[in-house]
Amino acid sequence: MRILLTEDDHPLANTMLSMLRDDQNTVDWVDDGQQALNALLNESFDLAILDLTLPRVDGLDIVRQVREQGVELPIIILTARSELTEKLQGLDAGADDYLTKPFAMSELKARIRAVTRRRSGTRVSGLKVGRLVLDPDSAQLQVGTETFVLPRSELQILHYLMRHPDQVATRRRLEEQLYGWDQGAESNALEVHIHHLRRRLGKQAIRTVRGVGYMLDSKAASEGQEI
């Protein structure tokens, strides 16, 4: 997943970044409420983890504004505010969950899994398109009777394409899934990863849309074509 982390406690943010990236996520971090609001309204994320007490724009206002603009990604609030009324305010504003500091990283991971399941309406470990079955937690891909363990980059690309079958994903969108804001991609890196995926899925499963990007063809993914 691509996650936006908004936290102005830098030591805590660094701990969370390490944990989330170890779980094969692409994580972008900001420590300012206005930056978070701009990112959520203009970029594509799968999940937001949001502190409430932030410079410039309060976390509750961020939640309200992104929901008013129709942004539907899961949002988990992290905060030291423990009063019940404040928790209810966060949930009523449109947050999906509320975690009070201090918290265990294992609990945050569990909350992430839970809100992702609720939002998708399916098990996180059950992505299926045609003959393709992907378990993001273990990075295992089953193609018919064959099973592969995907490297991180291939996992990130295929995870996005399988959540949006038959929809064109732009180069920029796929590169964001891989690198976020912190790293630049090599000019041909995406093509190399797509080439490796096609060797596993079959040549026709991922279509090139010239000048735009790529698309996972659900019909081709169902037909058991030659690799």
Side-chain angles (χ1 to χ4, degrees):
M1 290 191 298
R2 187 184 182 204
I3 298 173
L4 179 68
L5 172 62
T6 309
E7 172 59 67
D8 62 347
D9 179 334
H10 289 206
L12 175 59
N14 285 326
T15 299
M16 295 171 64
L17 282 169
S18 178
M19 179 272 291
L20 294 168
R21 287 170 175 164
D22 283 348
D23 282 353
Q24 307 299 311
N25 299 296
T26 299
V27 188
D28 291 310
W29 169 42
V30 295
D31 60 1
D32 173 278
Q34 187 63 58
Q35 290 177 323
L37 181 59
N38 292 342
L40 290 171
L41 292 179
N42 295 293
E43 301 279 346
S44 174
F45 296 93
D46 301 302
L47 173 76
I49 300 173
L50 183 66
D51 191 14
L52 286 188
T53 306
L54 294 166
R56 296 206 288 172
V57 181
D58 183 80
L60 281 179
D61 290 332
I62 294 172
V63 176
R64 292 189 186 103
Q65 290 188 55
V66 298
R67 293 305 190 220
E68 288 172 0
Q69 294 299 316
V71 178
E72 293 296 333
L73 84 169
I75 298 175
I76 298 176
I77 287 176
L78 302 179
T79 184
R81 304 177 192 176
S82 58
E83 292 79 5
L84 177 60
T85 55
E86 293 183 322
K87 291 183 180 181
L88 294 176
Q89 284 179 339
L91 296 172
D92 288 342
D96 294 85
D97 206 347
Y98 196 116
L99 193 55
T100 303
K101 300 175 182 178
F103 57 88
M105 291 298 165
S106 58
E107 183 178 4
L108 176 58
K109 289 183 180 182
R111 300 291 184 102
I112 291 171
R113 291 192 296 269
V115 299
T116 305
R117 282 197 300 271
R118 290 200 297 269
R119 281 282 177 172
S120 66
T122 60
R123 293 178 64 248
V124 173
S125 57
L127 271 177
K128 186 175 189 300
V129 178
R131 299 166 63 243
L132 314 181
V133 181
L134 180 65
D135 182 347
D137 294 334
S138 64
Q140 285 195 341
L141 169 68
Q142 184 176 340
V143 184
T145 59
E146 294 188 81
T147 301
F148 308 95
V149 177
L150 297 179
R152 177 187 176 278
S153 296
E154 291 177 35
L155 172 63
Q156 297 285 70
I157 294 170
L158 186 59
H159 187 227
Y160 185 87
L161 293 174
M162 288 183 69
R163 286 187 293 114
H164 304 88
D166 302 314
Q167 298 179 34
V168 179
T170 65
R171 288 184 56 90
R172 178 174 178 270
R173 182 63 51 83
L174 291 176
E175 287 174 348
E176 286 174 351
Q177 300 301 310
L178 289 173
Y179 305 107
W181 299 324
D182 293 336
Q183 297 172 299
E186 296 178 6
S187 60
N188 66 338
L190 182 58
E191 285 82 358
V192 171
H193 298 316
I194 294 290
H195 172 73
H196 290 161
L197 281 170
R198 283 172 171 156
R199 292 177 61 185
R200 305 180 196 276
L201 310 182
K203 294 179 180 178
Q204 304 304 315
I206 299 177
R207 290 174 48 193
T208 299
V209 181
R210 293 193 180 279
V212 182
Y214 298 93
M215 181 182 78
L216 179 67
D217 187 322
S218 62
K219 182 179 179 181
S222 302
E223 292 176 347
Q225 299 179 22
E226 292 291 330
I227 296 178

